[in-house]
Amino acid sequence: MNSLSPAPTAPRLSLLHGVAAGRDFEGYLRRRAARSDPFTVGFPGFPPVLFTGTAEGARALFRAPVALLEPPRPNPIEPMVGAASLILSSGTRHRTDRALLAPALHGARVRLLGKVIREATLNEIHCGAGGPWQLGTRIDALAAARAITLRVILAAVFGADSDRASEYGGAVTDFLGAFTTPLLVAPVLRRRLGGFGPWERFTTARERLDELILTDVTRRRRTGPADGDLLDLLLATRYDDGTTLTDTELCEQLRTLLVAGHETTATTLTWALYHLHREPGLLARLRAELPAAGDDPAEQARLPLLDAICQETLRLHPPVPIVLRTVTEPLRWLGVDVAAGATIGLAVGVLHGRPSTWPAPHLFHPGRFLDRTVTPFEFAPFGGGHRRCIGATLADYELRIVLATLLTEVGLTLDPALALGGRPRTVPRNLATAPDRAIHFTRTR
């Protein structure tokens, strides 16, 4: 029998470490990993987490028996997605819900959304006089990307004929903006203060979004199934005991799909545009490749350089930078004896930045994906194992089509300070990460 190996201790002064992580989350994890792997991180209000950033660690995490791992509680994002969300459910309920939703978010069903994705992008670009995409207008890339990806996820959830993009746009923007980094990392702030304060702002925004969702649920129940969209699937759900989803459970599943289903892709699209417009030669090569696919989304998704650019963007900027699991029974993991109830995790940015796997890892170099095949334990932007992000196929497909459509339809110039200055840091924001400052372009064509 192996001798007991205690987990590395969490750093002292956890509040200071929390501040450092909030300023540069991926940089903080890289510095911790440079000292040892696995390594322990502890933040105020949450139990310590034993992290790894190696391919061996990722393999051990993703291949661990399903029954031994579940989402951690308390969970930083639970106020956003709710306890019934697929992200946080476990056991039989998670397997059932995942089996229900998976066919609608993979393969042929996703490819059917190709024209919807292209049309959503074109509609956002050509949304009328005074819109954000007018010639000479300065564009906030993340805001513009969110508007496009929200149109796409609304079509996937409520059908291609949904006409509520503007209503949902405002509600989702307010919802995401209200869940600030302090609320994410400091649960002590999640309390009511006589009708004021950040928690009240967040719960008010959540109630507004839920009201929109439940209005659409009521309407669909009255009119009957539409075209097999995700709302139809959820309304038709029957569990083994004959029960259906309650309104609260429906709301939490749909809220997760709407928010997680567009925020992560919007962030990745923003980073891709940023890197491309800092490298004119690479941008010219991509523009030379795009005409071969015409305006066919399926052909665009197969373009090799476009694919490599999207993969490299996800490597440098994984939108969800950590994968967390709580151990339900004692487990020996990477030479450490982990007690039941403890939390282990993968630091995705550390994994994607290992020089032994990725030479010159801090450089944006899409060519590395043109001449090699990577394993799911070396490259894991959507997590892995039985809880790999269920929307990964849609996110990949959407990213390629939106990027191809934008680069075909418009010309952009990156703000000079961003084109010549240092790269923005990646910081936690809502369900994902984002640049620590706005990335602006000006439309020139």
Side-chain angles (χ1 to χ4, degrees):
M1 176 179 283
N2 291 322
S3 60
L4 293 177
S5 301
T9 57
R12 297 179 179 179
L13 303 174
S14 62
L15 180 59
L16 295 179
H17 281 262
V19 171
R23 288 174 52 83
D24 182 9
F25 190 66
E26 291 185 357
Y28 173 82
L29 292 178
R30 283 195 299 270
R31 291 190 295 273
R32 295 285 298 160
R35 300 177 183 178
S36 66
D37 194 291
F39 58 97
T40 299
V41 171
F43 297 130
F46 298 101
V49 178
L50 181 65
F51 277 106
T52 183
T54 67
E56 295 76 16
R59 181 181 288 106
L61 180 66
F62 296 155
R63 288 186 171 176
V66 171
L68 290 185
L69 303 178
E70 63 183 22
R73 299 288 179 85
N75 196 293
I77 65 170
E78 186 167 341
M80 298 195 75
V81 299
S85 165
L86 186 68
I87 294 176
L88 300 185
S89 64
S90 59
T92 302
R93 182 59 176 268
H94 179 266
R95 291 193 295 274
T96 302
D97 288 350
R98 189 177 181 92
L100 168 76
L101 292 172
L105 290 167
H106 286 276
R109 178 69 184 183
V110 165
R111 288 191 289 276
L112 288 175
L113 289 172
K115 291 185 178 179
V116 173
I117 295 169
R118 175 174 164 77
E119 287 302 314
T121 309
L122 292 172
N123 288 340
E124 190 62 31
I125 294 171
H126 306 302
C127 61
W133 288 92
Q134 297 303 301
L135 279 173
T137 300
R138 192 165 180 257
I139 299 166
D140 182 321
L142 184 55
R146 282 173 171 165
I148 292 169
T149 57
L150 182 60
R151 285 178 182 265
V152 173
I153 197 60
L154 283 171
V157 172
F158 295 117
D161 295 329
S162 175
D163 58 357
R164 308 244 283 161
S166 59
E167 289 179 86
Y168 274 104
V172 170
T173 298
D174 290 346
F175 176 72
L176 289 171
F179 199 69
T180 59
T181 299
L183 286 177
L184 177 70
V185 303
V188 69
L189 297 177
R190 300 174 190 172
R191 59 180 66 184
R192 296 189 179 279
L193 299 172
F196 300 96
W199 183 243
E200 278 85 351
R201 285 193 293 274
F202 169 71
T203 55
T204 298
R206 185 173 61 189
E207 289 165 4
R208 178 189 172 201
L209 177 57
D210 287 355
E211 184 178 352
L212 282 175
I213 291 170
L214 289 173
T215 297
D216 276 323
V217 168
T218 301
R219 181 184 304 167
R220 182 65 58 84
R221 280 180 172 144
R222 184 175 64 249
T223 60
D227 60 355
D229 54 37
L230 287 166
L231 178 55
D232 280 348
L233 286 175
L234 289 171
L235 286 173
T237 300
R238 294 293 185 275
Y239 294 103
D240 291 342
D241 61 1
T243 60
T244 61
L245 290 167
T246 67
D247 278 359
T248 297
E249 291 168 336
L250 262 173
C251 212
E252 290 179 352
Q253 293 287 18
L254 290 169
R255 194 194 313 137
T256 299
L257 290 166
L258 288 178
V259 177
H262 92 285
E263 177 73 359
T264 51
T265 305
T267 300
T268 307
L269 177 61
T270 298
W271 280 119
L273 290 169
Y274 165 83
H275 284 290
L276 280 170
H277 288 83
R278 280 171 59 100
E279 300 194 26
L282 179 63
L283 179 59
R285 286 174 56 204
L286 178 57
R287 282 207 163 110
E289 180 186 69
L290 292 175
D295 59 1
D296 184 340
E299 292 300 316
Q300 290 172 339
R302 297 189 186 100
L303 294 173
L305 182 57
L306 177 64
D307 175 77
I309 287 166
C310 293
Q311 299 280 62
E312 178 70 345
T313 304
L314 287 164
R315 184 192 69 82
L316 268 179
H317 308 285
V320 181
I322 56 176
V323 177
L324 300 178
R325 301 286 182 265
T326 292
V327 177
T328 60
E329 298 177 18
L331 173 71
R332 189 165 180 83
W333 186 61
L334 304 180
V336 175
D337 291 294
V338 182
T343 300
I344 59 177
L346 174 67
V348 181
V350 176
L351 178 72
H352 288 181
R354 299 192 70 82
S356 57
T357 306
W358 311 98
H362 300 304
L363 295 182
F364 184 76
H365 178 49
R368 68 176 92 238
F369 282 94
L370 293 172
D371 55 14
R372 63 167 294 188
T373 301
V374 296
T375 74
F377 310 118
E378 297 170 318
F379 181 62
F382 300 106
H386 75 287
R387 298 190 71 97
R388 185 175 184 266
C389 174
I390 195 171
T393 300
L394 175 58
D396 264 340
Y397 198 62
E398 180 181 359
L399 179 62
R400 284 152 181 73
I401 295 168
V402 175
L403 187 57
T405 304
L406 284 176
L407 294 178
T408 301
E409 293 292 318
V410 303
L412 300 171
T413 300
L414 186 62
D415 272 11
L418 288 164
L420 302 174
R423 182 187 301 169
R425 291 194 302 268
T426 298
V427 295
R429 187 171 298 170
N430 318 125
L431 293 173
T433 59
D436 69 342
R437 59 186 185 272
I439 292 177
H440 286 104
F441 294 87
T442 299
R443 183 175 178 183
T444 57
R445 172 174 61 83

